Amino acid sequence: MYKYILLLVLALSTVSCTGVSKVKERYHRAPFEKEIKKGDYELILYSIDYPQKYEDKIKFYNDFDILMRKFLVYDSTINIMYSQELKDDISHLKNNYVLPEEIAFSKSASELSQIDRDSIDKKVVIKLDEKVGRTQYYLNKQVYFWKKIMRSNEFFNSGANYTELDKEKLILQMEEKRKNTFKIIEQVELNLILKIEKPYSDNKNEYWEKKDVYIYRSTDITPKVFKEQGYLYLSGVEDVDVKKIMGNQLKFDSKIVVVENRLYNGYTVLDGNYVFFYGGKYRVNYYDGYNLKVKVKDISLKDLLIIDDELLIDDFLNPKFYKERQGK
């Protein structure tokens, strides 16, 4: 009897020392066995760095256009992880084909505010004749800006008085170029994963879904994260929340969520949605014979050009598409 009590005490002390017991692996039969063979699969997420400076953003979008054309020509695909800042700028571009930093350069020179003029002066440092009047002075600066962005072969004459029509022609060229880029993007099969760098809310008394009520929340993770429809990558999720996610106590609308954490690595399936764990030490798998592992790589757009066709993170949600790609 004493021996059994001693063994029980040792077992309990081991669990308390580690702080977490290893997750018991419960395997389920995969519904996609006919399309995807059993085995070890590494899902690489390519994390692209989005620049802060406007000049660097222009180079970024030029490189991005080249990358999309390459994917279209070679019919290849890839997992791309991107930032909230890039998502916001892309949304802005899709609406009116200009970046937030370009708004002042798109306005009529006669309607510029002092804030607009300060923004233009900051971005365009060129000596021009100020005697032509304030409106003409800033119109010339706007034209110089768009010529530089569009890499126009037409020489900029610092002594000329450009017109709004001159500026409009340059803006239309820019819009057409960006429209073509978005047309290409729509034809390319990409898996885009939004990286949430700071998943935790600074305001614990945040309204839920902008309703005029406070509700009890079992986590400080920002509420909008749970309502995000696109694929997600959550940085630095705390142990207590990782356990709640594993126990299906925290539910996401996103079909795929990657949880960067210290406890687990592998994946589970909750209510038909995939949750991948990255960075932890305890291995978890959901489907029998399918060992899925996420790997994150920081990469430049230039280096992405040499990446071949990759396994998509949602291939196991869409096994028929996976099988079709393998047959190409």
Side-chain angles (χ1 to χ4, degrees):
M1 182 69 179
Y2 175 77
K3 181 173 71 173
Y4 293 122
I5 294 175
L6 180 61
L7 289 172
L8 178 60
V9 170
L10 287 172
L12 291 173
S13 64
T14 301
V15 171
S16 63
C17 287
T18 60
V20 60
S21 58
K22 185 175 180 180
V23 176
K24 184 177 180 181
E25 294 178 335
R26 302 181 181 89
Y27 291 113
H28 302 75
R29 184 171 181 177
F32 44 75
E33 287 183 351
K34 292 181 180 179
E35 294 88 358
I36 305 176
K37 296 179 180 179
K38 291 184 178 182
D40 299 332
Y41 293 90
E42 185 176 65
L43 306 168
I44 302 177
L45 310 185
Y46 293 99
S47 180
I48 54 176
D49 183 39
Y50 187 57
Q52 299 297 315
K53 293 182 178 179
Y54 172 73
E55 293 78 8
D56 295 333
K57 286 184 180 181
I58 294 302
K59 184 179 185 307
F60 176 92
Y61 286 110
N62 288 333
D63 292 342
F64 192 72
D65 180 70
I66 295 172
L67 179 65
M68 292 301 102
R69 291 175 187 276
K70 178 257 184 182
F71 283 146
L72 183 62
V73 169
Y74 291 97
D75 196 19
S76 55
T77 186
I78 203 169
N79 302 301
I80 292 182
M81 192 157 66
Y82 67 113
S83 66
Q84 183 67 49
E85 291 76 15
L86 176 54
K87 179 183 179 182
D88 293 341
D89 277 356
I90 288 290
S91 297
H92 205 281
L93 283 170
K94 288 185 74 174
N95 289 332
N96 51 23
Y97 301 107
V98 297
L99 289 166
E101 296 94 332
E102 298 169 342
I103 293 176
F105 295 92
S106 303
K107 293 181 178 180
S108 171
S110 62
E111 297 176 358
L112 294 172
S113 67
Q114 186 57 49
I115 293 175
D116 293 329
R117 289 191 289 269
D118 290 342
S119 176
I120 290 173
D121 287 335
K122 187 177 180 180
K123 290 185 178 65
V124 178
V125 183
I126 182 174
K127 189 174 181 179
L128 296 174
D129 185 6
E130 297 185 37
K131 294 180 181 179
V132 295
R134 189 172 67 176
T135 297
Q136 185 64 58
Y137 174 77
Y138 281 98
L139 177 54
N140 287 350
K141 278 200 167 189
Q142 289 175 318
V143 171
Y144 173 83
F145 172 84
W146 288 117
K147 279 180 173 290
K148 184 179 178 181
I149 295 304
M150 292 306 299
R151 298 175 181 177
S152 174
N153 293 324
E154 184 183 343
F155 175 73
F156 177 80
N157 185 355
S158 60
N161 289 333
Y162 288 97
T163 66
E164 288 287 348
L165 181 59
D166 294 325
K167 183 180 71 177
E168 185 66 22
K169 288 178 179 178
L170 290 166
I171 293 176
L172 288 174
Q173 290 176 28
M174 176 274 298
E175 289 181 353
E176 190 62 29
K177 179 181 178 182
R178 289 176 178 173
K179 282 180 183 178
N180 289 334
T181 297
F182 278 105
K183 286 179 182 178
I184 293 170
I185 292 174
E186 291 171 357
Q187 298 177 66
V188 175
E189 183 182 12
L190 289 176
N191 266 1
L192 300 176
I193 303 101
L194 176 63
K195 185 175 184 179
I196 308 294
E197 295 277 5
K198 297 179 180 179
Y200 288 93
S201 172
D202 294 329
N203 182 7
K204 295 184 180 181
N205 293 320
E206 209 167 8
Y207 284 124
W208 181 268
E209 288 299 291
K210 298 182 180 179
K211 293 179 181 177
D212 267 343
V213 291
Y214 291 109
I215 66 168
Y216 170 74
R217 296 178 56 213
S218 62
T219 176
D220 290 332
I221 293 178
T222 305
K224 67 179 182 180
V225 169
F226 297 101
K227 295 298 179 182
E228 178 68 43
Q229 296 291 321
Y231 300 161
L232 291 175
Y233 180 100
L234 305 181
S235 298
V237 180
E238 296 173 0
D239 294 355
V240 62
D241 289 321
V242 174
K243 293 176 184 177
K244 289 176 182 176
I245 293 171
M246 177 65 78
N248 205 15
Q249 294 172 282
L250 299 178
K251 299 178 183 292
F252 301 89
D253 283 353
S254 173
K255 286 292 183 182
I256 292 178
V257 180
V258 181
V259 179
E260 180 188 292
N261 73 107
R262 296 173 296 188
L263 297 181
Y264 310 126
N265 71 81
Y267 74 105
T268 189
V269 180
L270 302 171
D271 299 329
N273 298 346
Y274 277 76
V275 178
F276 292 90
F277 297 97
Y278 173 69
K281 58 182 178 179
Y282 297 103
R283 183 72 184 163
V284 291
N285 285 307
Y286 187 83
Y287 288 125
D288 183 28
Y290 292 89
N291 301 312
L292 313 183
K293 179 181 178 182
V294 164
K295 183 176 182 179
V296 176
K297 282 187 178 181
D298 294 324
I299 196 167
S300 67
L301 289 179
K302 181 180 178 181
D303 290 336
L304 271 181
L305 286 170
I306 61 174
I307 302 297
D308 292 327
D309 195 41
E310 295 277 1
L311 185 69
L312 291 180
I313 197 169
D314 67 356
D315 275 335
F316 299 90
L317 280 173
N318 307 297
K320 290 184 179 178
F321 294 151
Y322 168 82
K323 190 173 182 180
E324 288 175 4
R325 291 206 320 276
Q326 301 306 305
K328 289 180 180 178

